[in-house]
Amino acid sequence: MAFLDSLGEQVVIVDRDPERLEGLHHPTICGDVTDDYVLEAAGIARALISALDTDAGNVFVTLSSRALRRDLVIIARARNESCCAPARIGSPTRN
């Protein structure tokens, strides 16, 4: 977060656990990031970092985000290399 702040980038944090959002100094949305409406509410403008607990969730968010914005920079966490092939369909910028 500090790096993005230093660049002057606006950050919106999405989490389904309201306790993890308490005390953050960025705009937050309490919701499930795998829900397209929540992604749209976050107002994805230039980039998305997906760091969910499961590879399947990260692949889903990658594909959904790419459908919303073709020019979006996407960085997605991958626990297993085998999940990278489906994610590449959504063209994440980094895995």
Side-chain angles (χ1 to χ4, degrees):
M1 299 302 282
F3 176 72
L4 294 173
D5 288 339
S6 72
L7 296 175
E9 297 294 336
Q10 181 181 2
V11 175
V12 177
I13 301 168
V14 180
D15 199 308
R16 62 180 161 218
D17 183 349
E19 290 182 11
R20 289 193 290 228
L21 297 174
E22 291 177 9
L24 297 177
H25 302 290
H26 295 280
T28 62
I29 296 176
C30 187
D32 185 348
V33 74
T34 63
D35 181 334
D36 286 349
Y37 295 111
V38 173
L39 283 175
E40 289 177 19
I44 300 171
R46 293 182 49 197
L48 172 105
I49 300 172
S50 182
L52 298 175
D53 292 337
T54 66
D55 287 341
N58 285 319
V59 169
F60 184 84
V61 169
T62 296
L63 295 173
S64 295
S65 300
R66 180 63 65 213
L68 293 172
R69 293 281 315 258
R70 294 293 311 158
D71 62 338
L72 187 66
V73 174
I74 299 174
I75 301 169
R77 177 191 341 200
R79 295 179 184 272
N80 297 307
E81 193 170 327
S82 63
C83 83
C84 294
R88 283 192 182 97
I89 295 168
S91 302
T93 307
R94 293 177 182 82
N95 291 76

